[in-house]
Amino acid sequence: PVPVPATTDTSAANQQAQPVIDTMPFVPQATKPSKIVYVNMEELNDKYEYLNDKAKGYKARQARMETEYQTMMAKFQNDYQEYQTSAQAGIATKAVMQAKEEELMKLREKIGQAEMDMKKLGMEVQQVSDEVYKSLIDYIKEYNINHGYNYVLAYTAGAGNLLYAKDSLDVTKEVLAGLNDKYRKRKK
C-alpha cells in the first residue's frame, strides 16, 4: 500500500478532522507474475532449414552477380581510359572513336542492368526475410497455445534491448525443432 499524506483542517467550521489527499500519479497495487522466454535469433538464423535452403541459392547468385559486375566495371574503366588516351593523342580516326563510344555505351547499359538485377535480388532476399519473420511469429503463436507465455523475446547478443537472458528461459531449440518439422512437411 502507498502511504497517503494527510493534513487536518481544525477550523471552527469543520470541528472534525478530515484528510486531504494530495494528487499522486497512479501506482499499481500489485503485478501478476509473467511467464517470459526468449528465442536466440543467431541460432535460429544458423539452424532454420528453410532459411538455410533459401540462403544457399541467394548467396551463390549474389557472388556470381558481384563477380560479373566487378568484371564489367573494370573493363569499362580500362576501355574508357583507352578511349580518353586515344582522344587526347588524336591517334584514332573519327569512325574508330565513334565505335568505341558505342561500345562504352553498351557496356554502361549492361552495368546498369547488372545493378538493377542486384537490387532485384536484394528485394527477393528481403521478401524471404519477411516470410521467415512471418513464419516465426505464426509458429510462436501456435507454440504458445500449449505453453501460455506472456512474452517471447528475440535475443541477439550485442544488439537490441535484452542485455541478459537466463539460459533456462531459452526456448530456441524447441522453436527450431517445430519450425523445421513444419518446413520439412511443406517441402515434401
Side-chain angles (χ1 to χ4, degrees):
V2 177
V4 178
T7 60
T8 54
D9 180 2
T10 57
S11 66
N14 189 0
Q15 293 295 327
Q16 190 173 5
Q18 295 193 5
V20 178
I21 301 174
D22 291 342
T23 306
M24 296 183 69
F26 173 74
V27 178
Q29 293 297 324
T31 57
K32 295 179 183 177
S34 294
K35 290 176 70 178
I36 301 173
V37 293
Y38 69 92
V39 174
N40 183 318
M41 297 307 289
E42 292 167 339
E43 186 175 347
L44 184 88
N45 286 333
D46 289 343
K47 297 179 181 174
Y48 185 18
E49 293 171 12
Y50 172 70
L51 183 59
N52 289 332
D53 287 351
K54 290 289 189 175
K56 286 176 192 171
Y58 288 128
K59 285 179 182 176
R61 281 176 55 198
Q62 182 180 11
R64 186 184 72 249
M65 291 171 107
E66 285 177 0
T67 300
E68 290 172 1
Y69 178 77
Q70 294 299 329
T71 301
M72 284 190 285
M73 284 299 291
K75 180 171 176 29
F76 181 82
Q77 289 172 347
N78 285 339
D79 290 357
Y80 184 75
Q81 194 72 31
E82 287 176 16
Y83 171 80
Q84 287 288 81
T85 302
S86 295
Q88 288 173 355
I91 55 174
T93 65
K94 188 174 183 177
V96 169
M97 294 300 289
Q98 195 170 12
K100 284 186 178 189
E101 283 177 22
E102 287 177 22
E103 193 177 305
L104 285 169
M105 286 175 38
K106 286 179 183 177
L107 187 54
R108 184 68 195 126
E109 286 175 16
K110 280 180 148 180
I111 290 170
Q113 182 62 48
E115 289 170 346
M116 288 182 2
D117 290 346
M118 287 190 294
K119 284 181 185 176
K120 184 179 173 186
L121 179 64
M123 291 187 324
E124 288 176 30
V125 169
Q126 182 59 50
Q127 183 178 355
V128 168
S129 179
D130 293 345
E131 289 171 13
V132 167
Y133 181 76
K134 183 182 179 330
S135 73
L136 174 62
I137 297 303
D138 290 346
Y139 183 74
I140 292 291
K141 287 177 184 176
E142 181 182 315
Y143 173 82
N144 202 36
I145 290 170
N146 295 325
H147 295 87
Y149 297 119
N150 297 95
Y151 301 96
V152 178
L153 307 174
Y155 174 72
T156 304
N161 296 326
L162 189 58
L163 300 176
Y164 172 76
K166 197 173 190 179
D167 289 343
S168 64
L169 301 175
D170 187 354
V171 295
T172 308
K173 287 179 181 24
E174 293 173 45
V175 170
L176 265 170
L179 283 168
N180 286 332
D181 285 345
K182 285 186 84 138
Y183 173 61
R184 287 182 205 120
K185 288 175 185 170
R186 263 194 346 241
K187 195 172 154 180
K188 289 181 182 180

